[in-house]
Amino acid sequence: MNVSIDATKPGPVINKNVYGQFAEHLGTGIYEGLWVGPDSKIPNTRGWRNDVVGALKELKVPLVRWPGGCFADEYHWRDGIGPRNKRPVKVNTHWGGVAEDNAVGTHEFFDLVEILGTEAYVNGNLGSGTPQEMAEWLEYMTSDTKSTLAEQRRKNGRKEPYKVAFFGIGNEAWGCGGNMKPEYYANLYNHYATFLKTPPNARPKMIASGGNDDDTRWTEVLSREAARGTDGISFHFYTLPTGVWEKKGAATGFAENEWFSTMQQTLRMDGHIRRNVAILDKNDPEKKLGFYVDEWGTWYDVEPGTNPGFLFQRNTLRDAVVAALNFNIFHAHAERVRMTMIAQMVNVLQAMIITDKEKMLLTPTYHTYKMYIPFQDATSLPTAVNNDVAYSVDNKSIPGISASSARGKDGKIYVALVNTNPRQPSDVSIDLKGQAASSATGQVLTAEAMDAHNTFDKPQAIKPAPYSAKAVNGKLTLKVPAKSVVVVAVES
């Protein structure tokens, strides 16, 4: 197996926002997972639990999306401001039918953003809201004037305007956001966008809600008709082992055929991006529009005994490998894929962190994110994989090795390798043009079982281990274990 890297031809920068994360009002993703309230016995800062926030800060999370998701199109921002004990209690009709007391609203969310040292992606309510409501929320957050809304924000405890880096106008308009056709949504998008005004230096990047899976019509219509000033079009794709929503497959206890099908399904991301980018290149040759995969990740059948609407699933080595495969795909399309959001941060779907009251553990996906930190804002390098050994099950095959490389902000060349085969290791020869390669040091993430995962009894059952290799006779070969993720810095 050979991986060729050309360090003499730097490609586009891998935007750090490719490593963004999603926090929706869903299950225990916000409440308990992140927010415990300032009066909780669990150590917290202004209501946000210190252990979870500390772990997320170590990931250098660049961007957080809130409040949804499907929840965004039933969220009315005025319910989440003012004294918490006077906020209305609603029902979260999308996720579990549970009470939503609006304890986490605009001010609390921006507290989290500032504590994490990250940026905010706010999703507006197009589905059940109005242009006036959305425009007033943006004014409330960003105005530096003496308007009534800006003064109300100050009265509620925030003197200076908030910085909104990205603003999404609706979510999944093809489904939970309104069951619309793309042409109808494009008209609504332009209508709403017309009234979203901020101070000139405070305007967020505006995002149109795009398509999902194989449907490219949304990109086609929106790239032609979206209002000027639109920064990007979103896209959603989830990895289901079976490819069937009604019976997705189990998060643990699966056989190799479901390991394989999960890898096969997630690799479809590359084709989805290619087809949508081809449309963007046709309709937007100046490349003003980004392609934002702002929901992605694995989605399994919920854990038995849990609320089906809470979307709780175990997170295993398989999820870590899936995450790394997607990172490598995003790196290959860095010119257009300028932001992505895994779903979700805590306790929901492919989470970084799992909590149970005062307890917390890090998942294999968390460890993959941490291993890939050097790729944030790194300069991609052309990387070619000679996959002479495929991974095959039941007469179906996928590439055995996935790879990407980049020159980090520290000047070092980083290489990420993923072995999709759960049974066979692979020797990968690194052919680096433009720089000698004498050794490589970094980390490897693997385990004996395909569904290895951390538990509160064994919170470090799976974690990265040190990795190193030296060139022999001028040739650098990396031994990549079965079912593993390897990230190394190449030394001259």
Side-chain angles (χ1 to χ4, degrees), residues 78-90 100-103 108 155-156:
R78 283 185 171 86
D79 294 342
I81 60 172
R84 278 192 287 275
N85 62 358
K86 294 183 179 180
R87 296 178 188 178
V89 177
K90 300 295 183 73
E100 164 62 61
D101 66 4
N102 286 294
E108 290 80 11
K155 181 181 177 181
N156 288 332

Side-chain angles (χ1 to χ4, degrees), residues 147-402:
S147 76
T148 298
L149 285 168
E151 289 294 281
Q152 186 180 18
R153 184 195 69 233
R154 295 182 182 103
K155 181 181 177 181
N156 288 332
R158 176 68 181 199
K159 180 180 178 181
E160 300 300 324
Y162 291 118
K163 180 186 177 184
V164 182
F166 294 85
F167 192 88
I169 301 178
N171 167 77
E172 292 189 358
W174 43 265
C176 65
N179 288 302
M180 305 173 194
K181 294 181 179 179
E183 293 80 6
Y184 179 69
Y185 169 77
N187 288 334
L188 278 182
Y189 173 86
N190 290 337
H191 180 184
Y192 277 61
T194 301
F195 297 96
L196 298 182
K197 299 172 183 179
T198 67
N201 61 349
R203 187 167 180 81
K205 294 181 178 179
M206 295 294 177
I207 302 172
S209 176
N212 72 316
D213 292 2
D214 294 315
D215 189 352
T216 59
R217 293 178 305 140
W218 289 79
T219 298
E220 178 70 59
V221 171
L222 290 169
S223 61
R224 290 197 318 262
E225 300 184 13
R228 280 187 290 179
T230 300
D231 187 77
I233 299 170
S234 74
F235 176 79
H236 294 176
F237 174 62
Y238 287 96
T239 297
L240 285 59
T242 64
V244 179
W245 282 100
E246 293 73 20
K247 186 65 176 176
K248 304 173 187 68
T252 58
F254 50 84
E256 186 180 346
N257 66 321
E258 282 205 1
W259 168 282
F260 177 88
S261 65
T262 304
M263 302 300 138
Q264 186 180 44
Q265 288 289 329
T266 211
L267 288 171
R268 292 173 57 206
M269 180 71 82
D270 184 67
H272 291 329
I273 293 174
R274 288 182 186 279
R275 285 185 287 276
N276 283 277
V277 166
I279 292 168
L280 291 177
D281 287 346
K282 177 187 68 174
N283 294 343
D284 173 41
E286 296 178 352
K287 303 186 186 300
K288 294 179 179 179
L289 294 171
F291 189 65
Y292 295 152
V293 188
D294 63 5
E295 285 188 36
W296 67 274
T298 53
W299 195 325
Y300 309 125
D301 298 330
V302 298
E303 196 72 15
T306 64
N307 187 324
F310 283 11
L311 305 187
F312 175 73
Q313 60 189 38
R314 298 291 176 189
N315 189 288
T316 73
L317 174 63
R318 176 174 62 168
D319 300 291
V321 171
V322 164
L325 288 173
N326 280 278
F327 294 157
N328 290 350
I329 292 170
F330 299 150
H331 295 174
H333 298 282
E335 187 173 51
R336 286 282 191 181
V337 179
R338 303 165 193 165
M339 180 258 276
T340 85
M341 295 272 161
I342 194 168
Q344 292 188 12
M345 289 179 86
V346 185
N347 289 339
V348 177
L349 296 175
Q350 193 173 348
M352 308 292 108
I353 294 168
I354 294 175
T355 66
D356 182 9
K357 299 180 176 63
E358 76 285 352
K359 295 180 287 187
M360 179 198 82
L361 63 81
L362 308 178
T363 68
T365 294
Y366 175 96
H367 293 308
T368 301
Y369 265 78
K370 194 169 184 181
M371 290 168 67
Y372 271 76
I373 286 175
F375 287 94
Q376 292 190 21
D377 283 340
T379 301
S380 62
L381 298 174
T383 305
V385 182
N386 175 21
N387 263 305
D388 52 359
V389 179
Y391 167 42
S392 302
V393 171
D394 296 334
N395 296 318
K396 298 178 181 178
S397 297
I398 61 172
I401 292 290
S402 166

Side-chain angles (χ1 to χ4, degrees), residues 66-69 71-75 121-129 134 137 141 166-171 192 196:
W66 172 86
F71 181 81
D73 279 307
E74 65 176 32
Y75 180 69
Y121 171 2
V122 176
N123 216 125
N125 179 352
L126 178 138
S128 65
M134 193 181 290
W137 192 16
M141 291 186 287
F166 294 85
F167 192 88
I169 301 178
N171 167 77
Y192 277 61
L196 298 182

